[in-house]
Amino acid sequence: KETELLCKVATEDEVIEVIAAFVQLYRENARYLHRIYKWVARVGLDWCKAQVVDDPANRRALYDRFMLSQSVYQSDPSA
């Protein structure tokens, strides 16, 4: 399958945190240019959920690392 439900959350802030954490987990564990759905099929959706959904401390750490990595690219040089 190319799409799977990761989790349901109540707020937009939670959506952003979960997705950013998931993307960081992918960045740290997948091969370069490996499709996310193929990577999830390889490592297992349950493992991804355990890392991002079931472990709030790990989710926050992944989110923080993602935001740090993006801080360089999200700044406006002309501002």
Side-chain angles (χ1 to χ4, degrees):
K1 282 180 143 180
E2 294 181 12
T3 59
E4 293 282 341
L5 179 65
L6 184 61
C7 67
K8 293 183 180 183
V9 294
T11 68
E12 186 176 338
D13 289 340
E14 288 176 295
V15 170
I16 292 169
E17 183 175 304
V18 167
I19 294 303
F22 181 78
V23 169
Q24 185 64 25
L25 184 70
Y26 163 76
R27 292 175 72 210
E28 292 177 2
N29 292 281
R31 290 181 229 128
Y32 184 69
L33 295 178
H34 201 209
R35 301 274 183 181
I36 289 180
Y37 74 93
K38 290 182 179 180
W39 170 72
V40 170
R42 186 172 55 83
V43 300
L45 185 60
D46 290 337
W47 180 79
C48 294
K49 286 181 179 181
Q51 300 296 311
V52 175
V53 179
D54 300 336
D55 186 348
N58 191 46
R59 176 176 62 233
R60 189 63 196 192
L62 287 163
Y63 172 79
D64 289 342
R65 290 196 299 272
F66 179 81
M67 295 310 289
L68 178 64
S69 74
Q70 297 303 300
S71 65
V72 175
Y73 300 106
Q74 292 182 1
S75 63
D76 184 359
S78 62

